[in-house]
Structures are given as structure tokens and as C-alpha cells.
Amino acid sequence: MSTIMDKSRGLAAERLADELREDILAGRLPSGARLGEVALAERFAVSRGPVRAALNLLSEAGIVTIVPNSGARVREMGRADARALYEIRAALEAEAAMLAASRAAPETAARFGDLLDQHAGEIAAHPEGAYLQGGGDRDFHMVVARMAGNPLILRYLARELYPQLSLLRVKHRNVVGRGAEALNEHKRIATAIADGDAEVAGLLMRRHIRNSWTALEAQLSETAGETE
Amino acid sequence: MSTIMDKSRGLAAERLADELREDILAGRLPSGARLGEVALAERFAVSRGPVRAALNLLSEAGIVTIVPNSGARVREMGRADARALYEIRAALEAEAAMLAASRAAPETAARFGDLLDQHAGEIAAHPEGAYLQGGGDRDFHMVVARMAGNPLILRYLARELYPQLSLLRVKHRNVVGRGAEALNEHKRIATAIADGDAEVAGLLMRRHIRNSWTALEAQLSETAGETE
DNA sequence: GAGATGAAAATTGTCAACAATAATGGATAA
DNA sequence: TTATCCATTATTGTTGACAATTTTCATCTC
């Protein structure tokens, strides 16, 4: 479980950051909500010092915006932010898929097989897109990122990109019925990785991310016009 | 100059982080050097609060490692770290080149022309690799990153990747005579971007980074064996 | 002499109060 | 009524002191 326990500093700050992130990504703290230091301090029964550290952490993760001398708020993601997010995601995950393929071990195929079987079960149980929301999709991408063997890519995806993606989804209720298609694409990517075919794995992953973006973009159009 | 003034929090912390980063990347604070909070606090005539914030900032940038309850030190970069750095760099800068090409404006060619002429002059003046060390190389890559129009890519390169690259170079005195070759590769990349040829721009950039890695890797072999 | 033990010293983590800055609201004038 | 100015209030930035943890090193034991 505990793969990367970075613990940037101090135990309290890390705990606060975890709880706050959970609240934000669960939608309990909506976009734009003010994060006053004193309120958070008394909520967590702690001083303002750790609270500030936690807010800085979440700011680095990109789910909180801090205006100096003014305060911290839950970040508001616009359409341009979403596009930028999917662009860098395509680059990093395609690279991760290529690296994973080039470093594929004999047991790789089996590992993917178990994971994807489990995901197929989840989709059968909840046909209406729980796959994309419930973490199954995230699981697959995390496995690929770990297999890539590059701590920098893994760290960026886990600590910045995925949290921002979640923030985007919690706002726009992105639960298209793309679960089955996504699973099929995952299977082809897994095959390419297990075969050690880096070029195809990278291409398929890039296409997979682009499809995901296309689906999300359609939903973004339906929602309100953007602020900035 | 001041393109992204993120100012994570507080003015003091940002100033301290800037000065410390300068010291580290100039080699005045060598890899592994201890960064005691009290010493830094009295050096900058400030309390320990902002010092801690600055250290957290530099830790996020990847040039300082913090061990909870123990302290902060200048990060020591091993061979594996260098490899990971160049892998993610290839992915991000190739993507940046592609995006820059797809968004190329009419004045793009002229802008590159000026920059590269200036760099050619620098190389003529200092034939022994000042190009790669003195910032000319960095300039080119920053221009491409900005032209990509993706704030996430630009931010990662400017705030994490390039500082770590500098840290790597200050340790291993990486000043190969690759200046002239690098400039030529820059010119071809610039042409592809100005032509709007995303695919070629991406390919050339990826190759350029790989060449840079090959040169650095040779130097790393000459140096000592790695710690971790 | 090598290793374990434990107290002392140094360093980081946390707290509560003070200073500086920004947000708020009411009074005044056009 | 609306806009502007200024005092009030609330919030963030910083500080110095205290608590907790780690590191150091002298001592003891084998």
C-alpha cells in the first residue's frame, strides 16, 4: 500500500493535507470554497503552523490556489486548465506505457490479467460508468505508471495530475458510459506492454487519453461557460 | 523575465528560496550539505517559519531532500535519478515541441532566428561549451516551452526539471564540447516548429534530448560510482 | 578493542501572541 | 441613488518560546 510516503515535512501537515484533499475530491469542499487558516486549525485541533504547511502542499498539488496576503481557496478549474491537463497527461502516460513495455517482465501479463478481470466484474456489476469513477480506471493507470520504473513520472501523476483530474470530475460529474470502451482500450494497452512493444503501447495509450479527453470535452460544453 | 510569479506563499519564503536555490545551483552549497534551520534563519535575519516554508518549496522543486524530524540537505543525485530525469524530459519537451509547432504563429521563425543567431555568437566567443552551461541552451528550451502554451508543462520544466538538471551539472561539471552540435539540432527543431510540422519537431526534440543524455551518461561513467 | 547503553546536547515540530496586510461596512458628498 | 473615502474588522505573515525527537558522545560491559 504505502508506496510513496514522501512526508514532505512534519507528520501533522501531511495528515491535514490528506484529510483536506479527501474533502475536496469528494466534493464536500466545492470549487472556490474559502480555506481560512483559523477555521481549519480549530477543526483539526491544531495550530496554524501545520495548517499553512498543509495548504502549501495542496497548492503544489494544484488543487488549492493561494493568493499571498489574502488566503487559500479550492481551485476552480476552467476549460483551458482541463485541456492543459490532458495534454501533459498524454505525454507522460504515453511515455510511461513505452517505458513499461521496454521493461516488461514475464509476470507482467498475468498481473494485468487479474486486474482487468476484476475491472470487468466491476463494470458488469455497475454498468453505468462506475468504472471510470470508482477507481478501476485509476488503478490501471497507476499500475502502468509504476511499471514504468520512473519515480518522477509516477510522482507527478500520483501527486499532481490525478488529483487535478479528480477535481475536474467532481465539478463536472464526468461519468460517461465509456466504461466498456475504456476497458477494451486498457486490454489492448496491457497486451502491448506485456509483449514489450513500446511503440504500440505508447500510441495506444496516447489514443486512449485522447478519447477520454474527447468525451470529457463534450460534457464541458454542456456545462456552464468558463470563468477565465 | 518574470513570466510565472507563483509566490507559493509569503514574500519572505519566496525570497529565501530564490537565494538558496542560487547558492545550490552555483555550487556554493554542495550536494549533501546540511541545511540547518537556525543557521539559515540567522543568515537571512528572519525567523524559522519562513525558512521552513522555503525549504519545503525547494523540496518540492527536487533540489533539497527533507527527512522528517531530522532535517534538510542539498539533494544528492545519483545515476538512476539522472536517467529518470532525462526520460521525463524527453516526454515533456517532445510534447512541448509538438504543441509549439501546432500553434506556431507567423512571427515564430523570426523569433527563433534572433535567438539562435545570438547563440551562435556566444559559441564563437566561447568555443569550449559555454553554450550548454551559460544559459543559451536553457534559453532555447524555455522559449519552446513557452510557445507550447501549456502552463503545466512550462511550470514543471521551469520549477522542477531544469533546477534538477542544473544540480546534476554542478556536481558533475558537465561541459562537453557539444555546443556546436546542440546549436545545429536547435536550428532544425526551430525550423520544424516554425513550419508547423509537429511530428518532426517532436521527433527531433526527442532525439536532441537523447543525444544530450548520451553525452552526459558518458561523463557520469567517468565519475565515481553512485551511492544509491 | 568493539559494541551496547544511556544521559546530555542539538535540532526539528508545534504553539500562541504580535505585526502587517487585505476585506468590510458605514458615513459623507456629489 | 451612487460613488468615494476612511475607520473598523478580520485574516494572513512573522516571531520567539516551548515540546518532542534525534543525534552525539562519554561510559560501561564483554
Side-chain angles (χ1 to χ4, degrees):
Chain A
M1 274 298 155
S2 62
T3 318
I4 285 191
M5 289 280 270
D6 212 340
K7 238 178 242 303
S8 155
R9 179 63 79 90
L11 299 70
E14 192 71 17
R15 186 177 64 85
L16 300 200
D18 285 346
E19 293 215 36
L20 278 178
R21 180 170 29 235
E22 192 122 348
D23 280 359
I24 292 171
L25 299 188
R28 288 186 289 275
L29 289 172
S31 280
R34 199 156 162 12
L35 300 172
E37 295 181 0
V38 289
L40 293 175
E42 54 186 62
R43 165 180 166 187
F44 291 112
V46 86
S47 163
R48 270 179 52 216
V51 170
R52 287 174 66 82
L55 289 176
N56 281 325
L57 232 37
L58 295 179
S59 162
E60 289 292 324
I63 62 178
V64 159
T65 55
I66 294 179
V67 179
N69 287 315
S70 171
R73 314 182 87 92
V74 179
R75 179 171 173 197
E76 309 206 53
M77 297 270 267
R79 191 198 187 84
D81 298 310
R83 195 180 48 77
L85 203 56
Y86 272 85
E87 282 173 0
I88 193 173
R89 185 185 180 192
L92 289 182
E93 295 217 35
E95 185 75 18
M98 290 170 58
L99 291 171
S102 74
R103 290 160 189 170
E107 68 271 19
T108 299
R111 186 170 176 193
F112 272 129
D114 294 348
L115 183 71
L116 293 174
D117 284 349
Q118 180 186 334
H119 290 175
E122 292 176 14
I123 289 190
H126 310 280
E128 274 316 305
Y131 184 46
L132 289 177
Q133 209 179 32
D137 179 72
R138 187 63 43 87
D139 280 349
F140 173 79
H141 289 274
M142 281 295 294
V143 166
V144 173
R146 257 192 289 270
M147 285 180 45
N150 185 311
L152 293 177
I153 295 179
L154 180 59
R155 174 186 151 111
Y156 188 83
L157 293 178
R159 293 183 47 157
E160 305 197 26
L161 205 145
Y162 291 154
Q164 289 183 43
L165 269 185
S166 298
L167 182 58
L168 204 59
R169 288 192 178 138
V170 80
K171 179 106 195 261
H172 296 286
R173 313 246 180 338
N174 165 246
V175 204
V176 221
R178 232 181 72 77
E181 291 90 329
L183 180 59
N184 271 333
E185 292 168 4
H186 287 176
K187 285 180 180 170
R188 291 186 63 192
I189 294 168
T191 302
I193 291 177
D195 287 349
D197 191 337
E199 202 167 353
V200 168
L203 243 56
L204 289 178
M205 180 64 92
R206 192 175 276 272
R207 188 187 298 171
H208 174 58
I209 308 280
R210 190 174 57 230
N211 289 341
S212 174
W213 166 241
T214 302
L216 175 63
E217 194 185 24
Q219 295 232 332
L220 287 186
S221 300
E222 296 173 7
T223 323
E226 283 315 326
T227 46
E228 60 178 325
Chain B
M1 273 295 156
S2 61
T3 319
I4 286 189
M5 290 279 271
D6 213 340
K7 235 178 245 302
S8 156
R9 181 63 77 93
L11 299 71
E14 193 71 15
R15 186 177 63 87
L16 300 199
D18 285 346
E19 293 214 36
L20 278 177
R21 178 171 29 235
E22 192 122 348
D23 280 359
I24 292 171
L25 299 187
R28 288 187 289 275
L29 289 172
S31 280
R34 195 153 168 15
L35 299 172
E37 295 180 0
V38 289
L40 294 175
E42 53 185 65
R43 166 181 164 187
F44 291 111
V46 86
S47 163
R48 270 178 52 216
V51 170
R52 287 173 66 82
L55 289 176
N56 281 325
L57 233 35
L58 295 178
S59 163
E60 289 294 324
I63 63 179
V64 158
T65 56
I66 294 180
V67 179
N69 287 316
S70 172
R73 314 182 88 92
V74 178
R75 179 171 173 197
E76 309 205 53
M77 296 270 266
R79 192 199 188 84
D81 297 311
R83 194 179 49 75
L85 203 57
Y86 272 85
E87 283 174 359
I88 194 173
R89 186 186 180 192
L92 289 181
E93 294 217 33
E95 185 75 19
M98 290 169 58
L99 291 172
S102 73
R103 290 161 188 171
E107 69 269 20
T108 300
R111 186 170 175 192
F112 271 129
D114 294 347
L115 183 70
L116 293 173
D117 285 348
Q118 180 186 335
H119 290 174
E122 291 176 15
I123 288 190
H126 311 279
E128 275 317 304
Y131 184 44
L132 290 178
Q133 210 179 30
D137 178 71
R138 188 62 44 89
D139 281 348
F140 173 78
H141 289 274
M142 281 295 294
V143 167
V144 174
R146 257 191 289 267
M147 285 180 42
N150 184 311
L152 293 177
I153 294 179
L154 179 60
R155 175 188 151 111
Y156 189 84
L157 293 178
R159 293 182 48 156
E160 304 196 27
L161 205 145
Y162 292 153
Q164 289 183 42
L165 269 184
S166 298
L167 183 58
L168 204 59
R169 288 191 178 138
V170 79
K171 179 107 197 261
H172 296 287
R173 313 243 182 335
N174 165 248
V175 206
V176 222
R178 232 181 72 76
E181 291 91 330
L183 180 60
N184 271 333
E185 293 168 5
H186 288 177
K187 284 180 181 171
R188 291 186 63 192
I189 293 169
T191 301
I193 291 177
D195 286 350
D197 192 338
E199 200 167 354
V200 167
L203 243 57
L204 289 177
M205 180 64 91
R206 194 174 275 272
R207 189 187 296 170
H208 174 58
I209 308 281
R210 189 174 58 230
N211 289 341
S212 175
W213 166 241
T214 303
L216 176 62
E217 194 184 25
Q219 294 231 334
L220 287 186
S221 301
E222 296 173 6
T223 326
E226 282 317 326
T227 46
E228 60 178 326

